[in-house]
Amino acid sequence: MKTRNLLVTGGAGFIGANYVLYWLENNPQDKVVVLDALTYAGNRANLASVEQHPNFIFTHGDICDTNLVEKLLKEHQLDTIVHFAAESHVDRSITGPDAFIETNILGTYSLLKAAKKVWIDEPKAEGKSPLAHRFHHVSTDEVYGTLAPNDPAFTEQTAYAPNSPYSASKAASDHLVRAYHHTYGLEVTTSNCSNNYGPYHFPEKLIPLIITNILHNKPLPIYGDGQQIRDWLYVEDHARGIELVLNKGQVGENYNIGGHNEWANIDIVKVVCKLMNEYFSNEGTSLESCTLNLAPAMLKEKFPEATLAAESRSEALITYVTDRAGHDRRYAIDATKTNNELGYKPAESFETGIKKTVEWYLGNEEWWGELLEENK
Ligand code: NAD
């Protein structure tokens, strides 16, 4: 495989950081420059294990700063942009859409402008061919809108119908990326992925929220009837999918990435409750594969507030709350194109992925404890 020099925007966030760790593990010869504004969702500690890597560079900055992006592209001779940076929490987009419009739409526009200038316009002005390049845009299944229970899953042909300020801002950015390809010949690919879960997930999102609330014996808030269905993918499988799109995808194409793994929110919460009960229980039977050196007695000592988990009754914390405005009922990804054309297949089953995730949160209290403290 050819060597790449990558700009990874939003590389200190949940998926971006997992992607950078995955990339340098599997492509250690490549240069990876992270550009991240370190908003509340960005955390340099997510990248601690690669900070000393000789090919890793961190830049604290905003994707809306087009001059900075141009400078980075030139200074490090970057040939690939993998664009994760975004405001990503739907609830926050309802209470404060401005930041979503700025980062997700204007920020993407800023990156496209810089990429076009450095990779296409400047060489052209010198009578040269465009530099070899790829702009990969990371998007979401939420741009497709909502599905009824028996509707077929979203394909790349499904018409966009975003329902929240978050998904509308992502849809707008997808359209800009497409337009830069068709109008200016920028070599782009876009992937639309389902809900991710795994390590380094900010504890405002469903799965880490449930785990950390159980550890503090706090209510587990469920919107509406809890029957909203999401398609869940382990975060490293998303990184694997993007790698395939970069290496084998066709320029100008969109690729759905998903795990064919639909769950109602309430059922996800019940699975996490059951696992937590088992980890805290002396009679836990499903822990043979447990990678944690945390026996139930040690967990009880480490998390003394988790009294309901210790009694195998975490479900008693489930509390139904008023549904959020415009809450989409169901998302489901049909990833047939990505599977067939690129040979994509998730490595992790939901059973193994969710265990790894719960174990990671049990073993990394310093990481999420600090974030909860900072965001009180
Ligand atoms: P996140 O909120 O955890 O991380 C976003 C990162 O972007 C943070 O590190 C933040 O500091 C950075 N950032 C925000 N504004 C910036 C700016 N103006 N300039 C530079 N950096 C900025 O998000 P995530 O969950 O990791 O999602 C990453 C991408 O994947 C997003 O584009 C999102 O739309 C997409 N996506 C997410 C999911 C999911 O389940 N989380 C699913 C599909 C697609």
Side-chain angles (χ1 to χ4, degrees):
M1 232 18 104
K2 70 175 198 148
T3 306
R4 289 180 184 274
N5 293 338
L6 297 100
L7 178 68
V8 179
T9 70
F14 163 48
I15 307 177
N18 277 287
Y19 177 82
V20 169
L21 304 190
Y22 171 86
W23 196 270
L24 283 171
E25 170 85 25
N26 293 284
N27 305 276
Q29 72 289 347
D30 287 357
K31 187 191 285 180
V32 173
V33 177
V34 165
L35 173 61
D36 198 297
L38 296 178
T39 67
Y40 80 96
N43 186 351
R44 190 121 180 218
N46 298 357
L47 298 164
S49 64
V50 292
E51 288 282 356
Q52 301 309 320
H53 194 291
N55 290 338
F56 172 78
I57 294 158
F58 183 86
T59 306
H60 183 192
D62 193 323
I63 56 167
C64 295
D65 183 347
T66 316
N67 291 335
L68 171 64
V69 178
E70 280 174 25
K71 182 174 156 283
L72 290 174
L73 290 177
K74 287 181 192 168
E75 187 179 327
H76 301 290
Q77 295 176 318
L78 302 173
D79 51 34
T80 305
I81 294 177
V82 186
H83 174 33
F84 293 94
E87 287 295 332
S88 69
H89 192 43
V90 179
D91 288 8
R92 288 180 189 253
S93 84
I94 295 168
T95 51
D98 287 8
F100 289 73
I101 306 305
E102 277 154 27
T103 288
N104 300 2
I105 305 179
L106 297 178
T108 302
Y109 173 54
S110 158
L111 289 172
L112 289 164
K113 265 197 307 188
K116 172 177 171 283
K117 185 171 170 193
V118 174
W119 288 338
I120 300 176
D121 295 346
E122 289 183 348
K124 204 170 154 193
E126 291 171 16
K128 295 182 188 152
S129 309
L131 301 177
H133 67 269
R134 175 70 70 84
F135 187 111
H136 182 74
H137 178 55
V138 180
S139 192
T140 164
D141 59 358
E142 302 196 25
V143 296
Y144 297 123
T146 186
L147 293 169
N150 296 318
D151 284 348
F154 304 126
T155 70
E156 292 81 356
Q157 263 65 54
T158 304
Y160 276 28
N163 290 320
S164 70
Y166 164 66
S167 52
S169 66
K170 291 296 293 185
S173 65
D174 293 12
H175 291 322
L176 279 171
V177 170
R178 177 189 158 88
Y180 262 68
H181 172 64
H182 284 277
T183 308
Y184 305 113
L186 194 71
E187 303 202 346
V188 308
T189 40
T190 295
S191 50
N192 295 82
C193 189
S194 55
N195 274 38
N196 285 213
Y197 68 99
Y200 303 110
H201 206 179
F202 195 82
E204 68 185 352
K205 304 280 172 83
L206 183 67
I207 291 177
L209 178 80
I210 297 304
I211 300 170
T212 53
N213 277 14
I214 291 174
L215 293 174
H216 290 120
N217 228 35
K218 283 189 176 166
L220 310 180
I222 307 292
Y223 279 133
D225 61 4
Q227 292 301 327
Q228 305 85 0
I229 292 173
R230 303 291 181 260
D231 197 339
W232 292 89
L233 185 74
Y234 191 67
V235 63
E236 206 172 280
D237 280 326
H238 188 177
R240 233 174 241 119
I242 295 171
E243 183 179 36
L244 276 175
V245 175
L246 282 178
N247 290 336
K248 293 187 178 175
Q250 293 295 315
V251 164
E253 290 291 306
N254 282 45
Y255 294 90
N256 280 353
I257 301 178
H260 206 62
N261 179 42
E262 289 182 52
W263 287 81
N265 283 349
I266 183 67
D267 294 330
I268 285 277
V269 173
K270 287 180 179 167
V271 165
V272 173
C273 286
K274 185 166 174 285
L275 268 178
M276 292 290 278
N277 292 345
E278 288 175 3
Y279 283 109
F280 274 81
S281 153
N282 291 319
E283 284 137 43
T285 52
S286 64
L287 305 183
E288 292 108 53
S289 67
C290 182
T291 51
L292 270 185
N293 188 17
L294 286 177
M298 289 164 77
L299 278 181
K300 285 176 190 163
E301 199 183 310
K302 191 170 170 196
F303 302 107
E305 289 177 71
T307 52
L308 282 176
E311 294 168 14
S312 285
R313 293 198 305 121
S314 299
E315 297 82 359
L317 293 167
I318 291 174
T319 307
Y320 289 89
V321 299
T322 309
D323 208 352
R324 84 173 166 220
H327 203 165
D328 288 336
R329 265 327 252 184
R330 175 175 166 240
Y331 305 133
I333 277 273
D334 179 341
T336 307
K337 173 180 170 184
T338 313
N339 299 347
N340 290 350
E341 289 184 16
L342 310 183
Y344 176 70
K345 195 171 169 284
E348 214 66 63
S349 69
F350 187 66
E351 207 189 6
T352 57
I354 193 71
K355 274 187 150 191
K356 274 190 183 177
T357 305
V358 171
E359 288 171 17
W360 189 86
Y361 280 86
L362 290 174
N364 288 279
E365 191 197 359
E366 316 76 58
W367 182 87
W368 53 262
E370 230 167 79
L371 287 182
L372 290 180
E373 201 50 45
E374 281 167 17
N375 289 279
K376 254 184 184 170

PDB file of all heavy atoms in Angstrom, residues 4 14 37 48 50 53 59 116 129 153 163 175 191 195 212 230 232 260 280 300 312-313 373:
ATOM      1  N   ARG A   4       1.064   7.462   2.895  1.00  0.00           N
ATOM      2  CA  ARG A   4       0.238   8.669   2.876  1.00  0.00           C
ATOM      3  C   ARG A   4       0.717   9.659   3.927  1.00  0.00           C
ATOM      4  O   ARG A   4       1.231   9.249   4.966  1.00  0.00           O
ATOM      5  CB  ARG A   4      -1.218   8.336   3.228  1.00  0.00           C
ATOM      6  CG  ARG A   4      -1.965   7.567   2.180  1.00  0.00           C
ATOM      7  CD  ARG A   4      -3.396   7.299   2.670  1.00  0.00           C
ATOM      8  NE  ARG A   4      -4.108   6.468   1.723  1.00  0.00           N
ATOM      9  CZ  ARG A   4      -4.768   6.930   0.660  1.00  0.00           C
ATOM     10  NH1 ARG A   4      -4.816   8.219   0.434  1.00  0.00           N
ATOM     11  NH2 ARG A   4      -5.392   6.103  -0.163  1.00  0.00           N
ATOM     12  N   PHE A  14     -13.891  11.351  19.783  1.00  0.00           N
ATOM     13  CA  PHE A  14     -14.138   9.916  19.984  1.00  0.00           C
ATOM     14  C   PHE A  14     -13.689   9.076  18.786  1.00  0.00           C
ATOM     15  O   PHE A  14     -12.751   8.265  18.881  1.00  0.00           O
ATOM     16  CB  PHE A  14     -15.633   9.719  20.281  1.00  0.00           C
ATOM     17  CG  PHE A  14     -16.145   8.325  20.132  1.00  0.00           C
ATOM     18  CD1 PHE A  14     -15.484   7.242  20.701  1.00  0.00           C
ATOM     19  CD2 PHE A  14     -17.322   8.077  19.416  1.00  0.00           C
ATOM     20  CE1 PHE A  14     -15.969   5.940  20.560  1.00  0.00           C
ATOM     21  CE2 PHE A  14     -17.818   6.782  19.280  1.00  0.00           C
ATOM     22  CZ  PHE A  14     -17.134   5.713  19.841  1.00  0.00           C
ATOM     23  N   ALA A  37      -9.619  21.525  17.476  1.00  0.00           N
ATOM     24  CA  ALA A  37      -9.840  22.753  18.245  1.00  0.00           C
ATOM     25  C   ALA A  37      -9.969  22.469  19.739  1.00  0.00           C
ATOM     26  O   ALA A  37     -10.089  23.412  20.531  1.00  0.00           O
ATOM     27  CB  ALA A  37     -11.099  23.457  17.732  1.00  0.00           C
ATOM     28  N   ALA A  48      -2.749   9.885  23.885  1.00  0.00           N
ATOM     29  CA  ALA A  48      -1.535   9.720  24.702  1.00  0.00           C
ATOM     30  C   ALA A  48      -0.637   8.607  24.162  1.00  0.00           C
ATOM     31  O   ALA A  48       0.590   8.766  24.129  1.00  0.00           O
ATOM     32  CB  ALA A  48      -1.915   9.445  26.155  1.00  0.00           C
ATOM     33  N   VAL A  50       0.028   7.680  21.242  1.00  0.00           N
ATOM     34  CA  VAL A  50       0.787   7.944  20.001  1.00  0.00           C
ATOM     35  C   VAL A  50       1.588   9.253  20.068  1.00  0.00           C
ATOM     36  O   VAL A  50       2.260   9.610  19.100  1.00  0.00           O
ATOM     37  CB  VAL A  50      -0.122   7.961  18.738  1.00  0.00           C
ATOM     38  CG1 VAL A  50      -0.664   6.577  18.449  1.00  0.00           C
ATOM     39  CG2 VAL A  50      -1.243   8.982  18.869  1.00  0.00           C
ATOM     40  N   HIS A  53       5.020   8.879  18.959  1.00  0.00           N
ATOM     41  CA  HIS A  53       5.241   8.244  17.652  1.00  0.00           C
ATOM     42  C   HIS A  53       5.977   9.237  16.737  1.00  0.00           C
ATOM     43  O   HIS A  53       5.557  10.401  16.633  1.00  0.00           O
ATOM     44  CB  HIS A  53       3.891   7.848  17.041  1.00  0.00           C
ATOM     45  CG  HIS A  53       4.016   6.907  15.887  1.00  0.00           C
ATOM     46  ND1 HIS A  53       4.550   7.286  14.674  1.00  0.00           N
ATOM     47  CD2 HIS A  53       3.693   5.607  15.762  1.00  0.00           C
ATOM     48  CE1 HIS A  53       4.534   6.256  13.850  1.00  0.00           C
ATOM     49  NE2 HIS A  53       4.021   5.224  14.491  1.00  0.00           N
ATOM     50  N   THR A  59      -1.757  19.516  16.110  1.00  0.00           N
ATOM     51  CA  THR A  59      -1.909  20.968  15.979  1.00  0.00           C
ATOM     52  C   THR A  59      -3.231  21.384  16.601  1.00  0.00           C
ATOM     53  O   THR A  59      -4.288  20.869  16.221  1.00  0.00           O
ATOM     54  CB  THR A  59      -1.909  21.411  14.499  1.00  0.00           C
ATOM     55  OG1 THR A  59      -0.734  20.910  13.877  1.00  0.00           O
ATOM     56  CG2 THR A  59      -1.939  22.919  14.371  1.00  0.00           C
ATOM     57  N   LYS A 116      -8.572  22.596  -2.311  1.00  0.00           N
ATOM     58  CA  LYS A 116      -8.627  22.943  -3.745  1.00  0.00           C
ATOM     59  C   LYS A 116      -7.468  23.870  -4.114  1.00  0.00           C
ATOM     60  O   LYS A 116      -6.797  23.671  -5.138  1.00  0.00           O
ATOM     61  CB  LYS A 116      -9.973  23.616  -4.047  1.00  0.00           C
ATOM     62  CG  LYS A 116     -10.097  24.206  -5.439  1.00  0.00           C
ATOM     63  CD  LYS A 116     -11.497  24.791  -5.642  1.00  0.00           C
ATOM     64  CE  LYS A 116     -11.619  25.579  -6.922  1.00  0.00           C
ATOM     65  NZ  LYS A 116     -11.027  26.924  -6.863  1.00  0.00           N
ATOM     66  N   SER A 129       0.247  19.667 -13.194  1.00  0.00           N
ATOM     67  CA  SER A 129      -0.968  18.885 -12.910  1.00  0.00           C
ATOM     68  C   SER A 129      -1.296  19.015 -11.428  1.00  0.00           C
ATOM     69  O   SER A 129      -0.401  19.305 -10.621  1.00  0.00           O
ATOM     70  CB  SER A 129      -0.735  17.406 -13.191  1.00  0.00           C
ATOM     71  OG  SER A 129      -0.206  17.247 -14.460  1.00  0.00           O
ATOM     72  N   ALA A 153     -33.554  -0.677   4.889  1.00  0.00           N
ATOM     73  CA  ALA A 153     -32.463   0.147   5.439  1.00  0.00           C
ATOM     74  C   ALA A 153     -31.984   1.174   4.413  1.00  0.00           C
ATOM     75  O   ALA A 153     -32.225   1.026   3.211  1.00  0.00           O
ATOM     76  CB  ALA A 153     -31.317  -0.763   5.863  1.00  0.00           C
ATOM     77  N   ASN A 163     -33.447  15.606   9.903  1.00  0.00           N
ATOM     78  CA  ASN A 163     -34.511  16.132  10.768  1.00  0.00           C
ATOM     79  C   ASN A 163     -34.024  16.973  11.944  1.00  0.00           C
ATOM     80  O   ASN A 163     -34.837  17.610  12.601  1.00  0.00           O
ATOM     81  CB  ASN A 163     -35.333  14.964  11.338  1.00  0.00           C
ATOM     82  CG  ASN A 163     -36.163  14.296  10.257  1.00  0.00           C
ATOM     83  OD1 ASN A 163     -36.720  14.969   9.398  1.00  0.00           O
ATOM     84  ND2 ASN A 163     -36.223  12.976  10.266  1.00  0.00           N
ATOM     85  N   HIS A 175     -23.164  17.690   0.848  1.00  0.00           N
ATOM     86  CA  HIS A 175     -23.464  18.276  -0.465  1.00  0.00           C
ATOM     87  C   HIS A 175     -22.308  19.143  -0.961  1.00  0.00           C
ATOM     88  O   HIS A 175     -21.979  19.147  -2.151  1.00  0.00           O
ATOM     89  CB  HIS A 175     -24.749  19.113  -0.387  1.00  0.00           C
ATOM     90  CG  HIS A 175     -25.984  18.287  -0.176  1.00  0.00           C
ATOM     91  ND1 HIS A 175     -26.176  17.064  -0.762  1.00  0.00           N
ATOM     92  CD2 HIS A 175     -27.092  18.517   0.568  1.00  0.00           C
ATOM     93  CE1 HIS A 175     -27.354  16.572  -0.396  1.00  0.00           C
ATOM     94  NE2 HIS A 175     -27.917  17.418   0.418  1.00  0.00           N
ATOM     95  N   SER A 191     -18.119   8.744   3.549  1.00  0.00           N
ATOM     96  CA  SER A 191     -18.719   7.552   4.153  1.00  0.00           C
ATOM     97  C   SER A 191     -19.813   7.993   5.119  1.00  0.00           C
ATOM     98  O   SER A 191     -19.662   8.995   5.828  1.00  0.00           O
ATOM     99  CB  SER A 191     -17.664   6.714   4.881  1.00  0.00           C
ATOM    100  OG  SER A 191     -16.895   7.497   5.760  1.00  0.00           O
ATOM    101  N   ASN A 195     -24.423   4.503  14.203  1.00  0.00           N
ATOM    102  CA  ASN A 195     -23.953   4.866  15.554  1.00  0.00           C
ATOM    103  C   ASN A 195     -22.713   4.063  15.946  1.00  0.00           C
ATOM    104  O   ASN A 195     -22.723   2.840  15.841  1.00  0.00           O
ATOM    105  CB  ASN A 195     -25.028   4.529  16.593  1.00  0.00           C
ATOM    106  CG  ASN A 195     -26.028   5.638  16.767  1.00  0.00           C
ATOM    107  OD1 ASN A 195     -26.413   6.284  15.798  1.00  0.00           O
ATOM    108  ND2 ASN A 195     -26.433   5.869  17.993  1.00  0.00           N
ATOM    109  N   THR A 212     -21.477   4.977  33.183  1.00  0.00           N
ATOM    110  CA  THR A 212     -20.975   5.853  34.260  1.00  0.00           C
ATOM    111  C   THR A 212     -22.094   6.176  35.255  1.00  0.00           C
ATOM    112  O   THR A 212     -21.828   6.308  36.446  1.00  0.00           O
ATOM    113  CB  THR A 212     -20.321   7.136  33.694  1.00  0.00           C
ATOM    114  OG1 THR A 212     -21.239   7.772  32.795  1.00  0.00           O
ATOM    115  CG2 THR A 212     -19.058   6.806  32.931  1.00  0.00           C
ATOM    116  N   ARG A 230     -31.455   2.128  16.670  1.00  0.00           N
ATOM    117  CA  ARG A 230     -30.192   2.580  16.089  1.00  0.00           C
ATOM    118  C   ARG A 230     -29.392   1.352  15.676  1.00  0.00           C
ATOM    119  O   ARG A 230     -29.552   0.274  16.228  1.00  0.00           O
ATOM    120  CB  ARG A 230     -29.370   3.403  17.112  1.00  0.00           C
ATOM    121  CG  ARG A 230     -30.111   4.631  17.668  1.00  0.00           C
ATOM    122  CD  ARG A 230     -30.292   5.690  16.589  1.00  0.00           C
ATOM    123  NE  ARG A 230     -30.975   6.898  17.026  1.00  0.00           N
ATOM    124  CZ  ARG A 230     -32.274   7.150  16.808  1.00  0.00           C
ATOM    125  NH1 ARG A 230     -33.032   6.265  16.190  1.00  0.00           N
ATOM    126  NH2 ARG A 230     -32.811   8.297  17.171  1.00  0.00           N
ATOM    127  N   TRP A 232     -25.729  -0.193  15.534  1.00  0.00           N
ATOM    128  CA  TRP A 232     -24.500   0.095  16.281  1.00  0.00           C
ATOM    129  C   TRP A 232     -23.274  -0.596  15.679  1.00  0.00           C
ATOM    130  O   TRP A 232     -23.339  -1.774  15.318  1.00  0.00           O
ATOM    131  CB  TRP A 232     -24.660  -0.347  17.739  1.00  0.00           C
ATOM    132  CG  TRP A 232     -25.656   0.480  18.475  1.00  0.00           C
ATOM    133  CD1 TRP A 232     -27.008   0.254  18.564  1.00  0.00           C
ATOM    134  CD2 TRP A 232     -25.405   1.694  19.200  1.00  0.00           C
ATOM    135  NE1 TRP A 232     -27.600   1.253  19.303  1.00  0.00           N
ATOM    136  CE2 TRP A 232     -26.643   2.143  19.703  1.00  0.00           C
ATOM    137  CE3 TRP A 232     -24.253   2.442  19.475  1.00  0.00           C
ATOM    138  CZ2 TRP A 232     -26.764   3.301  20.474  1.00  0.00           C
ATOM    139  CZ3 TRP A 232     -24.377   3.599  20.238  1.00  0.00           C
ATOM    140  CH2 TRP A 232     -25.622   4.013  20.722  1.00  0.00           C
ATOM    141  N   HIS A 260     -25.055  -3.951  10.529  1.00  0.00           N
ATOM    142  CA  HIS A 260     -26.261  -4.768  10.458  1.00  0.00           C
ATOM    143  C   HIS A 260     -26.642  -5.200  11.877  1.00  0.00           C
ATOM    144  O   HIS A 260     -26.766  -6.379  12.177  1.00  0.00           O
ATOM    145  CB  HIS A 260     -25.987  -5.983   9.565  1.00  0.00           C
ATOM    146  CG  HIS A 260     -27.232  -6.511   8.936  1.00  0.00           C
ATOM    147  ND1 HIS A 260     -27.984  -5.766   8.073  1.00  0.00           N
ATOM    148  CD2 HIS A 260     -27.879  -7.680   9.066  1.00  0.00           C
ATOM    149  CE1 HIS A 260     -29.029  -6.445   7.685  1.00  0.00           C
ATOM    150  NE2 HIS A 260     -28.998  -7.613   8.282  1.00  0.00           N
ATOM    151  N   PHE A 280     -20.130  -7.109  38.499  1.00  0.00           N
ATOM    152  CA  PHE A 280     -20.135  -6.847  39.950  1.00  0.00           C
ATOM    153  C   PHE A 280     -20.542  -8.072  40.765  1.00  0.00           C
ATOM    154  O   PHE A 280     -20.533  -8.034  41.992  1.00  0.00           O
ATOM    155  CB  PHE A 280     -21.096  -5.684  40.275  1.00  0.00           C
ATOM    156  CG  PHE A 280     -20.448  -4.338  40.136  1.00  0.00           C
ATOM    157  CD1 PHE A 280     -20.311  -3.736  38.896  1.00  0.00           C
ATOM    158  CD2 PHE A 280     -19.946  -3.670  41.248  1.00  0.00           C
ATOM    159  CE1 PHE A 280     -19.702  -2.502  38.765  1.00  0.00           C
ATOM    160  CE2 PHE A 280     -19.339  -2.429  41.126  1.00  0.00           C
ATOM    161  CZ  PHE A 280     -19.214  -1.844  39.886  1.00  0.00           C
ATOM    162  N   LYS A 300     -16.303  -3.499  43.568  1.00  0.00           N
ATOM    163  CA  LYS A 300     -17.166  -2.936  44.618  1.00  0.00           C
ATOM    164  C   LYS A 300     -16.391  -1.931  45.464  1.00  0.00           C
ATOM    165  O   LYS A 300     -16.932  -0.907  45.874  1.00  0.00           O
ATOM    166  CB  LYS A 300     -17.730  -4.067  45.497  1.00  0.00           C
ATOM    167  CG  LYS A 300     -18.837  -4.851  44.789  1.00  0.00           C
ATOM    168  CD  LYS A 300     -19.315  -6.006  45.634  1.00  0.00           C
ATOM    169  CE  LYS A 300     -20.233  -6.896  44.811  1.00  0.00           C
ATOM    170  NZ  LYS A 300     -20.429  -8.214  45.370  1.00  0.00           N
ATOM    171  N   SER A 312     -26.975  -6.687  41.686  1.00  0.00           N
ATOM    172  CA  SER A 312     -27.465  -7.178  40.383  1.00  0.00           C
ATOM    173  C   SER A 312     -28.824  -6.586  40.031  1.00  0.00           C
ATOM    174  O   SER A 312     -29.685  -7.249  39.462  1.00  0.00           O
ATOM    175  CB  SER A 312     -27.571  -8.709  40.389  1.00  0.00           C
ATOM    176  OG  SER A 312     -26.294  -9.261  40.307  1.00  0.00           O
ATOM    177  N   ARG A 313     -29.012  -5.287  40.336  1.00  0.00           N
ATOM    178  CA  ARG A 313     -30.300  -4.643  40.065  1.00  0.00           C
ATOM    179  C   ARG A 313     -30.126  -3.313  39.334  1.00  0.00           C
ATOM    180  O   ARG A 313     -30.870  -2.369  39.560  1.00  0.00           O
ATOM    181  CB  ARG A 313     -31.039  -4.393  41.392  1.00  0.00           C
ATOM    182  CG  ARG A 313     -31.471  -5.667  42.107  1.00  0.00           C
ATOM    183  CD  ARG A 313     -32.553  -5.402  43.159  1.00  0.00           C
ATOM    184  NE  ARG A 313     -32.179  -4.404  44.135  1.00  0.00           N
ATOM    185  CZ  ARG A 313     -32.855  -3.264  44.356  1.00  0.00           C
ATOM    186  NH1 ARG A 313     -33.932  -2.986  43.656  1.00  0.00           N
ATOM    187  NH2 ARG A 313     -32.456  -2.411  45.284  1.00  0.00           N
ATOM    188  N   GLU A 373     -16.042  15.568  35.797  1.00  0.00           N
ATOM    189  CA  GLU A 373     -15.724  16.658  36.745  1.00  0.00           C
ATOM    190  C   GLU A 373     -15.700  17.988  36.006  1.00  0.00           C
ATOM    191  O   GLU A 373     -16.321  18.964  36.433  1.00  0.00           O
ATOM    192  CB  GLU A 373     -14.358  16.331  37.361  1.00  0.00           C
ATOM    193  CG  GLU A 373     -14.038  16.997  38.682  1.00  0.00           C
ATOM    194  CD  GLU A 373     -15.139  16.840  39.736  1.00  0.00           C
ATOM    195  OE1 GLU A 373     -15.678  15.721  39.923  1.00  0.00           O
ATOM    196  OE2 GLU A 373     -15.466  17.870  40.331  1.00  0.00           O
TER     197      GLU A 373
END
